[in-house]
Amino acid sequence: MRILTASDHALLVEAADLDEAMRLNLAWEGVPGVVERIPGARTVLVRFDPLRVSAVELATALAAVDIDTAQLPDAGEAVVPVRYDGEDLDEAATLLGVSTEELVNRHLAADWRVAFSGFAPGFGYVVSSDPLFDVPRRSSPRTRVPAGSVALAGAFTGVYPRESPGGWQLIGRTDAVMWDIDRDPPALLAPGTSVRFEHVREVARPGVGRSDESGRNGDDAVRPGRVVEQHAETDADALGFRTEAAVEVVRPSLQLLVQDAGRPGFAALGVSASGAADRRALHDANRAVGNATEAAVLESVGGAVLRFRGAGVAAVTGAIGALSLTDVEGAVRSVAHGVPFATVDGDELTLGHPARGLRYVIAVRGGLEVAAALGSRAADTLAGLGPEALTAGAVIPVGGVASHPVEPDALPRELPAVVDLVELEITLGPRDDWFTAGALATLTAQEWTVTPRSDRVGIRLHGEVPLERARGGELPSEGAVTGAIQVPPDGQPVLFLPDHPLTGGYPIIGALTDRSLDLAGQLPPGVRLRFIVKETS
């Protein structure tokens, strides 16, 4: 068992094989200081609380646990009907040295079982007893894989729960719903489930029991977390008053989301913590208006216009730009960054294009009241959990309870402008040994530019010199933390943000320290950055 540094708050433990990795994951439940465990094909990622246990102490504790008595779970059986017409079926058969007919027959005959979950909610890594199935990923991943695609990669079969990018070999499709938050458990292919694939010639009728590209049932009109949109005036609107406090979207930004502190603790279901990209801005905004620090807020990439219904108190933190409030008579007054301000019915808040930073955070006293998914109101853009992105006309109710008095003072904060050079602190590992000495030197010596191909899943970086590998081939899927620096085959890193996949197959050369994560969430395209390796004792 080899224990590697994954970040300043996570260790990656290598096991001999998949079976040992599963036993380690089970045996370590309840180890003091452990926050979450993410099993992989031959590893377990262990996130810990550095205030409760050090990395050295945790490594010692993990190594001392007896895994011989750990019993793998039995989660029953799932039947997955498949139409074997995938785009890569012929290529996968060629790679395995068999006919397409034999591939299908052996896929149907094998004993399959879900080993672990990852990548996205409901995505189970299903392994079989048949040694035939060991298929390399595609050399060039697809940017769009349809929901319900049945695919092969390495020794695993997986079914994409919703439309997403992916590099697995597509051999078929199913109409089975992989993820339904109202089901117990939500994942059809939960760890420990025995899986039987069933050959069908036709897919189910559209809209009945199948997933659309968002992973939701086609015959389900309203799902948990959806924000009610209102476009027509009610009788109360016509009379000039509101019965309930709310925030209405007049003009959305490039991306306007509801966020809170996230939903940690669901890695076993393939669900990442998600939550606000800038945790400090979330806490500052909520403190300013007297909310609990984890209350739901709006996170806006760039400028937007919001209208307040009813009287209240609001505050804007995060990105720095021009802020103004316009009342129903047309009078305009400026709003100070980070300072709470009173609102009355009909006031419109205008957020200008940020001069510094990328994401505004807007808190309203009482917090935003939208339906929770797995205990959180955060919008996870990769998983499709929580409220959808807000559009013009969306109305978000405001809660009626705030825990604390408003705090009028805000501490100043430096955020980057597009022309700036930003330094981010990192730890190396867990896969820095997959890269040449020159690549490790380049990682910290070279400036990297934040490209426009960035979102809440990850920041795509570009450097003049790509990072060169010392080792070729594929890495079995393993866990990744927020802030991980993953390196695809082109050598240009991707910096993971809160909505990143829990597992992946590209090597991770390093990861941001916890204190650098909030700044990473505020990096606009065009910013240059340099990585600084954290000194360890």
Side-chain angles (χ1 to χ4, degrees):
M1 189 171 68
R2 191 165 70 129
I3 301 178
L4 307 170
T5 297
S7 73
D8 62 346
H9 54 279
L11 299 175
L12 186 74
V13 183
E14 288 185 335
D17 52 29
L18 175 62
D19 180 72
E20 184 179 68
M22 298 303 100
R23 292 184 183 279
L24 288 172
N25 179 56
L26 291 169
W28 288 338
E29 184 174 359
V31 172
V34 173
V35 174
E36 201 163 37
R37 310 179 314 281
I38 304 174
R42 296 174 191 166
T43 59
V44 181
L45 180 73
V46 182
R47 291 182 54 242
F48 64 92
D49 182 352
L51 298 179
R52 295 179 57 196
V53 64
S54 70
V56 173
E57 292 168 339
L58 179 60
T60 301
L62 295 178
V65 174
D66 180 14
I67 70 168
D68 291 338
T69 58
Q71 298 295 317
L72 299 181
D74 182 358
E77 183 184 71
V79 178
V80 179
V82 181
R83 181 171 182 173
Y84 289 92
D85 58 357
E87 295 178 45
D88 304 321
L89 180 61
D90 291 340
E91 182 178 350
T94 300
L95 289 169
L96 296 175
V98 297
S99 66
T100 56
E101 182 179 7
E102 182 177 350
L103 187 158
V104 170
N105 288 337
R106 291 177 69 167
H107 194 260
L108 293 166
D111 294 323
W112 294 93
R113 192 180 190 194
V114 183
F116 59 95
S117 296
F119 179 67
F123 190 97
Y125 287 78
V126 191
V127 67
S128 84
S129 58
D130 190 335
L132 172 72
F133 294 101
D134 190 358
V135 186
R137 291 176 176 85
R138 288 173 53 86
S139 57
S140 177
R142 289 182 172 89
T143 58
R144 178 183 179 274
V145 176
S149 295
V150 180
L152 302 175
F156 300 101
T157 287
V159 181
Y160 285 79
R162 67 191 307 266
E163 181 184 302
S164 62
W168 288 34
Q169 307 282 357
L170 307 185
I171 63 168
R173 52 194 169 120
T174 182
D175 290 287
V177 178
M178 295 294 108
W179 175 264
D180 184 345
I181 200 167
D182 291 330
R183 187 169 54 197
D184 185 18
L188 179 65
L189 303 185
T193 302
S194 296
V195 181
R196 179 164 55 87
F197 294 102
E198 184 178 84
H199 197 177
V200 295
R201 301 296 177 182
E202 299 294 335
V203 296
R205 289 181 295 112
V208 179
R210 66 176 299 170
S211 299
D212 63 17
E213 66 181 28
S214 67
R216 298 182 169 93
N217 289 342
D219 55 353
D220 203 353
V222 179
R223 302 290 296 161
R226 176 166 296 184
V227 175
V228 176
E229 296 187 1
Q230 298 181 0
H231 298 279
E233 285 192 335
T234 64
D235 292 339
D237 294 333
L239 293 173
F241 64 87
R242 305 288 193 266
T243 56
E244 294 183 355
V247 179
E248 179 182 353
V249 179
V250 178
R251 189 188 75 225
S253 58
L254 292 175
Q255 185 180 64
L256 184 61
L257 303 171
V258 176
Q259 290 295 340
D260 62 12
R263 49 180 68 83
F266 294 98
L269 298 178
V271 179
S272 68
S274 188
D278 184 346
R279 301 164 301 176
R280 176 175 169 180
L282 168 73
H283 295 164
D284 288 350
N286 275 322
R287 280 199 301 264
V289 299
N291 291 338
T293 55
E294 68 274 10
V297 299
L298 292 178
E299 180 183 270
S300 177
V301 176
V305 178
L306 306 172
R307 180 181 297 128
F308 297 99
R309 295 190 173 190
V313 178
V316 182
T317 61
I320 299 171
L323 308 174
S324 63
L325 197 68
T326 305
D327 65 21
V328 292
E329 302 296 330
V332 181
R333 63 185 174 93
S334 62
V335 171
H337 181 275
V339 178
F341 57 93
T343 65
V344 297
D345 189 69
D347 280 353
E348 290 190 358
L349 172 66
T350 300
L351 310 169
H353 183 76
R356 292 187 170 273
L358 178 66
R359 292 178 168 90
Y360 289 109
V361 171
I362 307 98
V364 181
R365 183 168 176 81
L368 301 179
E369 289 288 344
V370 298
L374 298 179
S376 169
R377 296 180 170 93
D380 185 332
T381 59
L382 179 65
L385 282 176
E388 298 175 349
L390 301 174
T391 58
V395 177
I396 312 98
V398 173
V401 178
S403 306
H404 311 286
V406 298
E407 295 186 12
D409 297 324
L411 296 175
R413 185 182 180 197
E414 289 294 328
L415 290 178
V418 173
V419 296
D420 289 345
L421 174 64
V422 176
E423 291 186 348
L424 295 178
E425 186 181 63
I426 66 170
T427 57
L428 292 177
R431 298 302 177 188
D432 49 316
D433 59 344
W434 276 57
F435 298 87
T436 65
L440 294 175
T442 298
L443 176 68
T444 55
Q446 177 172 263
E447 292 182 5
W448 301 91
T449 302
V450 175
T451 73
R453 297 173 62 203
S454 302
D455 53 26
R456 281 180 50 89
V457 175
I459 298 173
R460 293 183 180 271
L461 304 175
H462 181 267
E464 184 177 346
V465 180
L467 299 178
E468 182 184 12
R469 282 198 195 182
R471 296 175 58 179
E474 294 185 357
L475 184 69
S477 292
E478 60 187 28
V481 298
T482 302
I485 306 168
Q486 190 183 67
V487 185
D490 64 3
Q492 301 292 348
V494 177
L495 176 58
F496 279 168
L497 288 185
D499 293 354
H500 69 88
L502 284 177
T503 57
Y506 295 138
I508 293 172
I509 195 171
L512 298 187
T513 59
D514 187 73
R515 69 181 184 181
S516 293
L517 291 177
D518 293 335
L519 181 56
Q522 291 290 1
L523 299 178
V527 161
R528 296 166 297 129
L529 61 87
R530 178 173 284 128
F531 294 119
I532 307 296
V533 177
K534 177 183 179 181
E535 296 294 332
T536 57
S537 57

